[in-house]
Amino acid sequence: MAVPIRTAVAALCAGLMATLFTTVPARADQDAGSAGRVWSVSGPERAAAAREPRAQVSLDATAGTLSLSVSRGGRTVIEPSPVGIVTERADLSQGLRFLHRKERLVDERYRTKSGKRLERRALMNETRLSFATSSGARLDLAVRVSADGVAYRYILPAGYGDVLGETSAFNLPPDASAWLGTYRADNEGRFAQYTAATAPTGAYSHQALFATDGGYTLLAESDLTGAYSGARLAHDQGTGTYRIKLADDRVRTDGPLATPWRAMVTGDLATVTRSTFTDDLAPASQVADSSWIRPGTVLWTWLAGGREAGQSLAAQKAYVDYAAERNWPYEAVDAGWYFKADEWDTTDPNWQTNSWMPELVDHARAKGVGIIVWIHQRDLDTPEERAQWLPTLERWGVKGVKIDFMDSEAQSTLQWYDVILRETAAHHLMVNFHGSTIPKGIQRTWPQVMTLEGVSGEEKRTNTAAHLTTLPFTRNVIGSMDFTPGAFQRVGLRPNSDAAEAGLSVAYESGHQMFAGTPESYDARPLARDFFDQVPAAWDDTRLLAGLPGREAVLARRSGDRWFLSGVYAGAARTAGVPLAFGPGRWLVETVRDGADGLVKDRQVLRGGDTLSVDVVDNGGFAGIACPWRPGLTTCHR
């Protein structure tokens, strides 16, 4: 829906507009037509052109409005959808005329510290279309197309005033299957399935998945900073339209502006699941030396011990000892450690001298374990507080911070993110954001961000097995996800089986994989505990072996020459068939599944391309490891 310019503002600015803008003459374009203009943008990999998406930008000659559609193999992905932006001094959603077109190839290779794969290549074509209004107001529309996605952004010169809103929307076929998470400020809405038109009227998280004739499409956002405002999707039941609604009614800007990318990750389900498109769109790393950034598994103590453990040095030392025994590289101390002993949620003003944290860090360092600490965002929201907290934590030897309760994607909060990202990098502190935004390319630009919550995770008591099987195709596509798997002690509070819970450690990618269980629950399930001992937190490759959102998600992630397997299922018990699509040769495959009396391990030697059969219980799953087989090899554990 267009955001109207107030008549009074338009009248006041009419004279100013004449001096701000100069009309740029149009030149002929090969895509021009008499009834309007149409420009097509396709990806650079011509050999795969039939499978690649194609964007089409159209300019209505009468109204001067823009629309964008996406197809794949000649089939609809996104129907023609409105494109435009409105500022205080310019309505750039209508009355546009074409100026010129520029094209370039984007080809960037980069390496990440965590994610679905460490080595990346961003290869896409970019077309930049320039338009102007009759008063000379200028709008550039940049469109990028790669093998796995389409994205666009608006680029505006200085002098146009604050942004009042976008007319951007996504029009889906009304009968397209849709997997949507209700919008919450902390991005912790649970996913459920609808069709594009039958979803209830309301706001949805900007990580919505749709299935159309052209394949699957995940709506997303990239390169979001404090220069702009976070977006959600607004929908009216009965239509297939999902409009962009910004967190702020007015986005403050006083200079040239490039908005975040409106991204559509698209392809078959395996392509979408494996995609790094939102990272590819983001700016390059701002951290020159990233040698101190180290992913790893973490013994997380909140669900294991709660408030009592958070305020106990003895309890935390015991957790560190257990992590060391298991060779887990980190232990995370959650809320309470700097609170007053008799006033929960009240910061001890003398925490720097009263805290037992330096003693815990020293104890952990001697055992080869790094410490991560929880901290409330309110304790880091001023320059004075950050100047106190961050250098102190670095001096103590703390490895990372889990910052909680931002609960906003307003521009002012995003500006805080811009600051805290620079300052944690400067103080060599890895970051886990909770109560937070979702990744949106942040992990490429700031690789010390190891994971973010932004998910209805293990702490919730209302999750469903269908939700768990949807996350690999929605939230976890766009970046690391701190679901915190492994809470075996929460029997009756989680919807899945023990084997499925073990599999979540692989199904859900997270640079710091926070294990949420108690030492007692792990020791009672030695097969799951031993599997966790093997699980890395950084991957060389990721593949979807089988899946359907809401029903099943079977993934394989490679570390070195080993493939880690996970299967997560919703619904009735079955014998699952898993295609071993990760290379020729013979493989030793070890799986952990649910048995009548607890977890069971199976071993078999199979060839690449064979089908692995696994018995799955109701709302169950499995975990596994496959390694190259040789005579005499009996286990993939190392």
Side-chain angles (χ1 to χ4, degrees):
M1 179 182 296
V3 179
I5 301 179
R6 293 181 176 87
T7 303
V9 174
L12 287 172
C13 296
L16 180 61
M17 291 282 288
T19 58
L20 282 175
F21 309 125
T22 56
T23 301
V24 181
R27 65 175 178 82
D29 189 280
Q30 62 182 3
D31 296 321
S34 59
R37 291 183 167 88
V38 178
W39 300 269
S40 292
V41 187
S42 55
E45 298 185 15
R46 300 187 182 279
R51 301 187 303 276
E52 282 190 353
R54 176 185 294 267
Q56 183 169 286
V57 179
S58 301
L59 175 65
D60 182 279
T62 303
T65 55
L66 290 169
S67 65
L68 182 143
S69 62
V70 179
S71 61
R72 181 171 169 267
R75 297 175 181 267
T76 297
V77 171
I78 301 289
E79 295 178 343
S81 304
V83 172
I85 188 169
V86 178
T87 75
E88 287 182 297
R89 300 170 191 162
D91 184 349
L92 298 167
S93 67
Q94 59 184 335
L96 299 171
R97 57 186 177 82
F98 175 64
L99 298 178
H100 56 77
R101 173 180 185 173
K102 295 180 180 178
E103 297 178 324
R104 74 183 183 106
L105 175 69
V106 177
D107 190 356
E108 300 168 347
R109 294 183 184 272
Y110 65 100
R111 181 175 174 84
T112 64
K113 301 298 290 192
S114 59
K116 300 173 206 179
R117 57 185 179 276
L118 302 182
E119 297 292 341
R120 311 277 185 87
R121 184 185 185 190
L123 180 64
M124 57 194 90
N125 281 334
E126 178 178 306
T127 289
R128 187 159 168 167
L129 301 168
S130 297
F131 303 91
T133 66
S134 59
S135 60
R138 173 76 173 267
L139 171 69
D140 282 9
L141 179 68
V143 181
R144 287 186 177 181
V145 179
S146 73
D148 57 351
V150 172
Y152 69 87
R153 78 188 321 172
Y154 307 115
I155 302 170
L156 285 68
Y160 289 17
D162 295 343
V163 173
L164 303 181
E166 298 183 22
T167 59
S168 316
F170 302 93
N171 288 333
L172 282 300
D175 61 350
S177 295
W179 293 268
L180 307 173
T182 302
Y183 177 78
R184 292 173 38 138
D186 57 9
N187 289 291
E188 294 177 25
R190 195 178 71 197
F191 281 89
Q193 184 175 355
Y194 310 93
T195 66
T198 60
T201 297
Y204 294 94
S205 181
H206 198 339
Q207 45 178 329
L209 180 69
F210 299 90
T212 67
D213 288 345
Y216 287 84
T217 300
L218 180 70
L219 304 183
E221 190 173 19
S222 184
D223 194 14
L224 174 65
T225 70
Y228 209 65
S229 179
R232 67 197 72 164
L233 301 174
H235 172 66
D236 293 322
Q237 191 173 41
T239 76
T241 300
Y242 289 78
R243 306 181 308 278
I244 289 294
K245 178 175 175 56
L246 301 179
D248 296 282
D249 294 330
R250 178 184 293 265
V251 179
R252 305 290 180 179
T253 180
D254 58 1
L257 175 67
T259 67
W261 292 101
R262 304 273 165 249
M264 294 147 276
V265 184
T266 190
D268 58 25
L269 195 58
T271 298
V272 171
T273 306
R274 191 174 184 268
S275 174
T276 60
F277 187 55
T278 53
D279 281 348
D280 296 345
L281 291 165
S285 174
Q286 297 297 299
V287 180
D289 176 15
S290 63
S291 60
W292 54 275
I293 303 172
R294 296 173 184 171
T297 53
V298 187
L299 176 59
W300 178 48
T301 61
W302 180 250
L303 292 186
R307 293 186 177 190
E308 182 178 345
Q311 296 193 309
S312 170
L313 174 60
Q316 294 300 326
K317 283 186 174 181
Y319 287 128
V320 165
D321 294 347
Y322 190 83
E325 179 186 342
R326 310 262 27 108
N327 288 315
W328 298 350
Y330 298 105
E331 189 253 0
V333 185
D334 215 273
W337 68 272
Y338 65 84
F339 292 168
K340 289 184 176 181
D342 55 349
E343 293 183 51
W344 183 263
D345 209 27
T346 300
T347 300
D348 179 354
N350 299 311
W351 65 269
Q352 287 173 295
T353 54
N354 290 346
S355 177
W356 41 256
M357 187 57 66
E359 183 178 344
L360 179 67
V361 171
D362 289 344
H363 176 81
R365 183 187 297 114
K367 293 176 175 287
V369 175
I371 295 296
I372 297 167
V373 299
W374 179 95
I375 183 169
H376 200 295
Q377 188 269 347
R378 69 185 175 214
D379 294 310
L380 294 170
D381 61 357
T382 68
E384 294 77 16
E385 288 169 336
R386 293 190 294 273
Q388 181 184 42
W389 281 91
L390 300 181
T392 300
L393 295 176
E394 181 184 24
R395 184 174 67 254
W396 284 352
V398 168
K399 299 300 182 183
V401 287
K402 174 183 173 180
I403 309 175
D404 208 344
F405 294 115
M406 284 67 71
D407 293 339
S408 171
E409 291 181 315
Q411 186 178 25
S412 58
T413 303
L414 296 173
Q415 290 169 346
W416 173 86
Y417 275 103
D418 292 344
V419 173
I420 201 69
L421 287 165
R422 289 195 301 271
E423 294 188 0
T424 51
H427 290 288
H428 300 100
L429 292 168
M430 293 177 283
V431 180
N432 173 354
F433 286 121
H434 265 234
S436 66
T437 184
I438 50 181
K440 302 184 179 183
I442 192 174
Q443 290 179 280
R444 179 183 181 186
T445 309
W446 298 102
Q448 82 271 21
V449 179
M450 304 310 297
T451 192
L452 303 89
E453 189 181 27
V455 65
S456 182
E458 194 76 272
E459 292 181 83
K460 296 294 186 293
R461 301 187 179 195
T462 58
N463 285 336
T464 64
H467 170 73
L468 301 188
T469 63
T470 302
L471 291 175
F473 311 115
T474 50
R475 166 62 181 85
N476 212 190
V477 169
I478 58 175
S480 292
M481 179 177 78
D482 195 21
F483 183 91
T484 67
F488 294 107
Q489 74 276 15
R490 290 170 68 84
V491 176
L493 298 178
R494 52 182 172 85
N496 57 343
S497 72
D498 281 354
E501 187 70 20
L504 295 184
S505 64
V506 174
Y508 300 157
E509 183 276 318
S510 181
H512 277 167
Q513 188 65 281
M514 298 262 180
F515 294 151
T518 63
E520 295 78 14
S521 69
Y522 295 132
D523 291 342
R525 298 164 179 83
L527 292 179
R529 179 198 62 197
D530 295 348
F531 180 77
F532 282 0
D533 291 351
Q534 299 295 310
V535 172
W539 304 102
D540 295 311
D541 198 3
T542 293
R543 294 184 187 177
L544 177 67
L545 302 182
L548 185 64
R551 297 187 185 180
E552 65 177 29
V554 185
L555 288 95
R557 301 190 193 272
R558 182 173 64 83
S559 176
D561 64 352
R562 294 190 295 175
W563 286 92
F564 288 75
L565 312 177
S566 66
V568 186
Y569 299 84
R574 71 202 76 175
T575 298
V578 179
L580 300 181
F582 43 68
R586 303 182 76 180
W587 296 84
L588 174 61
V589 182
E590 296 180 275
T591 54
V592 176
R593 59 176 174 83
D594 298 289
D597 299 315
L599 296 176
V600 176
K601 177 181 279 191
D602 298 319
R603 290 187 179 91
Q604 51 190 311
V605 176
L606 298 170
R607 291 189 178 275
D610 285 351
T611 297
L612 169 70
S613 293
V614 183
D615 290 333
V616 176
V617 301
D618 292 352
N619 295 328
F622 69 90
I625 309 177
C627 56
W629 180 82
R630 63 180 185 275
L633 183 68
T634 59
T635 182
C636 293
H637 285 221
R638 296 172 184 169

